[in-house]
Amino acid sequence: MTIPTHTREIHLAARPNGAPVATDFALVEQELPELADGQILVRNTWMSVDPYMRGRMDDKPSYIPPFEIGAALEGSAIGTVIASKSPDIAVGTTVTHFAGWREHSVVDAASATPIDPALAAPQHFLGALGTTGLTAYAALTEVATVRPGDTVFISAAAGAVGSVAGQIAKALGAKRVIGSAGGPVKTRKVLAEFGFDAAIDYRAGDLAGQLAEAAPDGIDVYLDSVGGEHLKVAIEALNPQGRVALVGAISGYNGETDRKAPDLYLAATKEITLRGMLVTSYLPLFAEYIPKAAAWLADGTLRTAETTYEGLDQAPAALLGVLTGANTGKMLVHLG
Ligand SMILES: NC(=O)c1ccc[n+]([C@@H]2O[C@H](COP(=O)([O-])OP(=O)(O)OC[C@H]3O[C@@H](n4cnc5c(N)ncnc54)[C@H](OP(=O)(O)O)[C@@H]3O)[C@@H](O)[C@H]2O)c1
């Protein structure tokens, strides 16, 4: 195989003001550096598209540094090693790494993880078998533990984390799993494809009334991906000693002011536990999670969906899309 000397990558062209737009990104051709000892060259085949990337487009202190204007974005990707100066990773190996948003990546072998292609199709290692699935699993086993007989409420239930989380909640013995999603097409999928017991269309309004109807005896666990009104309504619906995994707050990622703040005095009087999480703190759980999830995928316990955009030039559209609900299941870019 000819080793390329150049690649194409997606740069941050401008910081968004509110919702990002296509002109905040630029497709740039870049020379590839020579491989140093211990490095590998990966031809990327799939890229993960994740809502948290919106936060990195702002110049604000956070748990992860902002993207720089004029520099490439980065994120999880999977690809094939086409050149190697590492004794640990041979040419031909399929690896995941964090230097995505480009067609080829030069990475230190130590920061790449070979995957077992026999377990599942490679793109699953960015979704159900990747940090997406691990987020759902850690949220419901470590952060807001689901106990047999619980009623569980999952927001963004047609999305990547949410669709997996609903099914994991069932596998953990939840009596009733309720999901919220935007629009009737997605709520139908939440029921028919992901096996939830009830689905709420939050765009239809009266979230509190819809949740009360779906969970007349209240909820015991809430996985929050949305924040804002969802969190407020969930805290009102939670039973005493209820548990909330604070996973994300996508309703505020574009900086809109949310006036529907939750009443945290209810959390005090109902002895509710609200606990935040970053999946990066739970990476050791992969050893326990991957064999379980691979078996669930193989026997049909875990059903997944993907929304795929083709080609690096479509990556900005995919990111705008994941923020506005264009995806069902995992949002991916396929690089061929
Ligand atoms: N803490 C961590 O370590 C961690 C790790 C992974 C993900 N997360 C968070 O988990 C959440 C889900 O991530 P994901 O990768 O699985 O994305 P995803 O759910 O596949 O995609 C995001 C979904 O959010 C929904 N959404 C957008 N705006 C909304 C709004 N204003 N109100 C309600 N729903 C809205 C959209 O679905 P609808 O069409 O249904 O609106 C969209 O499809 C995000 O908040 C993300 O930041 C956190």
Side-chain angles (χ1 to χ4, degrees), residues 49-52 131-132 135 156-162 180-182 186 202-203 225-226 230 246-251 253 277-280 321-327 329-331:
V49 181
D50 298 277
Y52 80 91
T131 52
T132 294
T135 301
V161 171
S180 76
K186 285 198 179 182
Y202 73 87
R203 289 197 185 138
S225 289
V226 170
H230 269 80
L246 298 169
V247 172
I250 196 166
S251 67
Y253 286 179
M277 69 164 282
L278 289 175
V279 67
T280 41
V322 82
L323 294 169
T324 49
N327 62 308
K330 181 71 191 171
M331 183 64 104

Side-chain angles (χ1 to χ4, degrees), residues 7 17-18 31 41 50 105 145 149 161 203 212 265 269 279:
T7 195
N17 181 15
E31 193 173 347
L41 175 62
D50 298 277
S105 305
T145 312
V161 171
R203 289 197 185 138
Y265 186 55
T269 55
V279 67

Side-chain angles (χ1 to χ4, degrees), residues 148-224:
D150 277 348
T151 297
V152 178
F153 179 39
I154 310 279
S155 55
V161 171
S163 59
V164 172
Q167 297 172 81
I168 289 178
K170 277 285 197 192
L172 293 171
K175 174 181 71 185
R176 188 163 171 76
V177 181
I178 299 146
S180 76
V185 172
K186 285 198 179 182
T187 50
R188 274 198 295 277
K189 284 186 179 163
V190 163
L191 295 171
E193 290 181 24
F194 305 131
F196 286 60
D197 300 296
I200 290 170
D201 174 4
Y202 73 87
R203 289 197 185 138
D206 190 18
L207 189 59
Q210 290 195 69
L211 183 57
E213 200 173 309
D217 298 325
I219 60 174
D220 303 297
V221 168
Y222 172 51
L223 190 158
D224 189 30

Side-chain angles (χ1 to χ4, degrees), residues 257-316:
T257 312
D258 193 335
R259 296 179 195 286
K260 293 172 181 141
D263 177 358
L264 289 181
Y265 186 55
L266 282 177
T269 55
K270 291 198 274 186
E271 299 187 307
I272 290 167
T273 304
L274 295 141
R275 190 162 159 202
M277 69 164 282
L278 289 175
V279 67
T280 41
S281 298
Y282 296 88
L283 299 181
L285 261 191
F286 260 134
E288 165 187 326
Y289 173 68
I290 295 249
K292 270 191 193 174
W296 286 335
L297 275 178
D299 72 11
T301 304
L302 182 55
R303 296 212 272 159
T304 61
E306 290 156 10
T307 299
T308 303
Y309 285 48
E310 283 294 333
L312 186 69
D313 55 327
Q314 291 303 306

